[in-house]
Amino acid sequence: MVLTGLGGRAPWQRGGTEAPPWRSGMAELLRALAEKHTCCSLPPLAFLLVMLVLVLFGMGVLSPRILMLEPRPEGEGRKDVLVLTPWLAPIVWEGTFNIDILNEQFRLQNVTVGLTVFAIKRYVVFLKLFLETAEQHFMVGHRVHYYVFTDRPADVPSVALGEGRRLVVLEVPGAARWQDVSMRRMQMISDFCERRFRREVDFLICADADMRFRDHVGVEILSPLFGTLHPGFYRAARQAFSYERRPQSQAYIPWDQGDFYYMGALFGGSVAEVQRLTKACHQAMMADSANGIEAVWHDESHLNRYLLDHKPTKVLSPEYLWDEQMLGRPAVMRKLRCVFETTHQSAGEIARNWKPRPWRGVGPVDPGPHGRGTLSGCCRGCRSPRAHRQTSGSS
């Protein structure tokens, strides 16, 4: 144990002349090795290598943590998708991680993961399938807190939960427009980060209610800050991104800027980072409101502005939220981990319980080869004539 002086720093860290104890110990060890070198059989090259390693340890260049075996991505050889961002953050695709190693790592850290979902007004109808499929596929084997924000707490379904998993219902006011729900959730998440999430969970994932889990979604997504590539733009050119292009908005991104287009339906990170993100987005939306402007895709536009300025430490591929009915299934999609959910109910149920909201930024698409189509503004319900009939209540 190193005793420190004022400010919690050791003397040699504050510019003192005394050598740190570990460095003097290394020097003694090197002298002993040098004295014994003449009578030992260690080859000169090996002896020099040992000395080099010891010196690097003494300088702090190497550490035992660095020498430990690190998980190597299984998909380093994937040539069909981008697996690193320009700032060297990993893009998570099937085959780019070893889940057994990661599970063990996060179990040793004893992490608890929070999953927020907003079920306002008729969106409560999606909760049952959302929670049931999450129990099957989300963070299996780890502690999970589901945080359901709703104005209809009595309508939250009862779902059997596994060990170490709990459901927390947080009653919040309703809203007249889905846009208001989307924008207000940034404020609510930020507020609850301070009020309880910081004390209860280590990571916070923010998801939309009208999606379901279809395959494994686990600790491979955990990172200080992550965003998810929008399925409509993951192979599009920057100029096709539906960023907010009006300079009057706080979400404004010029045509010659931008890395990726992230979707507002799935993002997260550590509680501290999510609080910073949601607070900044809420403040930006309030500034826009004071100036009489509303960003083109509401909270998603502000999310993209924030992630341009604060690069995510991990990016999830579109495997983590896909629309198979609208976009098909390109060969690069080896797994569909989450999908948008509108077809699990009868046409009558959807008509009674669901008012379609836009699939933000996109609409009808001609996917073309490999799903590289360009999308234009429409609603998530506008997927086919059949989808229109369902949302209108026709048979």
Side-chain angles (χ1 to χ4, degrees):
M1 178 189 223
V2 175
L3 297 178
T4 59
L6 293 174
R9 300 176 63 192
W12 57 87
Q13 294 174 309
R14 300 196 305 273
T17 57
E18 180 185 352
W22 44 262
R23 185 166 294 174
S24 59
M26 287 294 172
E28 292 177 6
L29 182 57
L30 288 172
R31 283 197 297 270
L33 285 173
E35 291 170 359
K36 293 181 180 180
H37 176 59
T38 55
C39 60
C40 71
S41 58
L42 192 65
L45 181 59
F47 175 75
L48 290 174
L49 288 174
V50 170
M51 289 182 62
L52 177 61
V53 170
L54 292 172
V55 169
L56 290 175
F57 265 113
M59 295 173 62
V61 176
L62 293 180
S63 71
R65 179 185 63 81
I66 294 175
L67 292 181
M68 288 174 61
L69 179 63
E70 297 286 346
R72 293 182 62 83
E74 295 174 344
E76 284 183 330
R78 282 195 72 167
K79 305 297 184 184
D80 55 338
V81 292
L82 187 67
V83 296
L84 280 178
T85 68
W87 58 95
L88 303 183
I91 303 176
V92 185
W93 294 85
E94 171 63 16
T96 62
F97 58 90
N98 186 317
I99 192 56
D100 294 327
I101 294 177
L102 292 174
N103 271 331
E104 185 61 26
Q105 174 188 340
F106 282 96
R107 285 194 188 102
L108 291 174
Q109 296 178 25
N110 202 28
V111 300
T112 300
V113 181
L115 177 61
T116 70
V117 59
F118 280 71
I120 306 298
K121 295 188 180 298
R122 296 176 179 180
Y123 274 81
V124 74
V125 75
F126 291 104
L127 276 180
K128 183 174 175 60
L129 191 65
F130 178 91
L131 294 170
E132 287 178 343
T133 57
E135 277 297 286
Q136 296 171 16
H137 301 296
F138 180 74
M139 301 290 165
V140 175
H142 299 274
R143 291 200 307 272
V144 172
H145 292 185
Y146 299 108
Y147 296 107
V148 176
F149 292 79
T150 183
D151 59 341
R152 298 182 178 182
D155 295 333
V156 174
S158 177
V159 175
L161 301 179
E163 183 180 356
R165 301 164 83 91
R166 59 184 294 227
L167 174 63
V168 180
V169 178
L170 303 171
E171 187 171 2
V172 295
R177 305 184 309 150
W178 70 263
Q179 294 95 326
D180 296 328
V181 175
S182 294
M183 292 191 289
R184 282 174 51 196
R185 74 169 179 159
M186 290 294 190
Q187 177 188 10
M188 295 179 190
I189 292 172
S190 174
D191 290 346
F192 275 90
C193 281
E194 187 63 36
R195 290 164 59 179
R196 65 182 301 167
F197 297 161
R198 280 179 174 270
R199 302 190 305 272
E200 297 180 355
V201 298
D202 303 294
F203 292 91
L204 196 65
I205 316 301
C206 306
D208 275 6
D210 54 341
M211 56 178 269
R212 64 183 171 93
F213 296 85
R214 199 162 116 176
D215 209 319
H216 164 90
V217 177
V219 295
E220 76 280 356
I221 74 173
L222 298 182
S223 185
L225 181 63
F226 76 80
T228 304
L229 296 182
H230 196 295
F233 297 108
Y234 75 104
R235 284 188 168 177
R238 174 190 292 161
Q239 289 71 26
F241 296 165
S242 57
Y243 291 149
E244 172 55 66
R245 301 298 188 181
R246 292 170 295 175
Q248 298 89 343
S249 173
Q250 298 293 310
Y252 168 64
I253 297 178
W255 289 95
D256 60 347
Q257 294 183 25
D259 304 311
F260 303 100
Y261 191 87
Y262 303 98
M263 64 188 327
L266 186 62
F267 63 92
S270 68
V271 177
E273 286 294 337
V274 172
Q275 183 177 16
R276 277 190 278 270
L277 180 155
T278 51
K279 183 177 181 180
C281 288
H282 171 65
Q283 290 174 341
M285 286 185 280
M286 291 301 98
D288 273 5
S289 179
N291 292 325
I293 190 170
E294 191 173 273
V296 59
W297 293 112
H298 320 291
D299 60 323
E300 186 173 87
S301 297
H302 290 278
L303 174 72
N304 274 274
R305 176 72 251 186
Y306 184 89
L307 293 179
L308 175 60
D309 297 332
H310 307 82
K311 306 297 187 190
T313 52
K314 188 173 285 187
V315 174
L316 305 189
S317 71
E319 292 176 353
Y320 285 87
L321 195 47
W322 187 255
D323 191 325
E324 191 171 14
Q325 184 176 353
M326 184 175 182
L327 299 172
R329 185 166 180 174
V332 296
M333 297 297 163
R334 298 183 183 178
K335 286 194 175 183
L336 300 184
R337 302 179 186 278
C338 297
V339 294
F340 288 117
E341 181 55 39
T342 58
T343 59
H344 70 286
Q345 304 171 92
S346 68
E349 276 186 293
I350 293 176
R352 286 192 302 272
N353 295 306
W354 182 56
K355 181 179 180 180
R357 69 180 168 88
W359 190 37
R360 289 175 272 192
V362 302
V365 61
D366 175 11
H370 314 298
R372 297 182 183 180
T374 301
L375 300 130
S376 59
C378 196
C379 72
R380 196 181 286 173
C382 294
R383 301 178 179 188
S384 65
R386 178 173 177 270
H388 276 293
R389 286 197 298 272
Q390 286 182 333
T391 56
S392 65
S394 305
S395 58

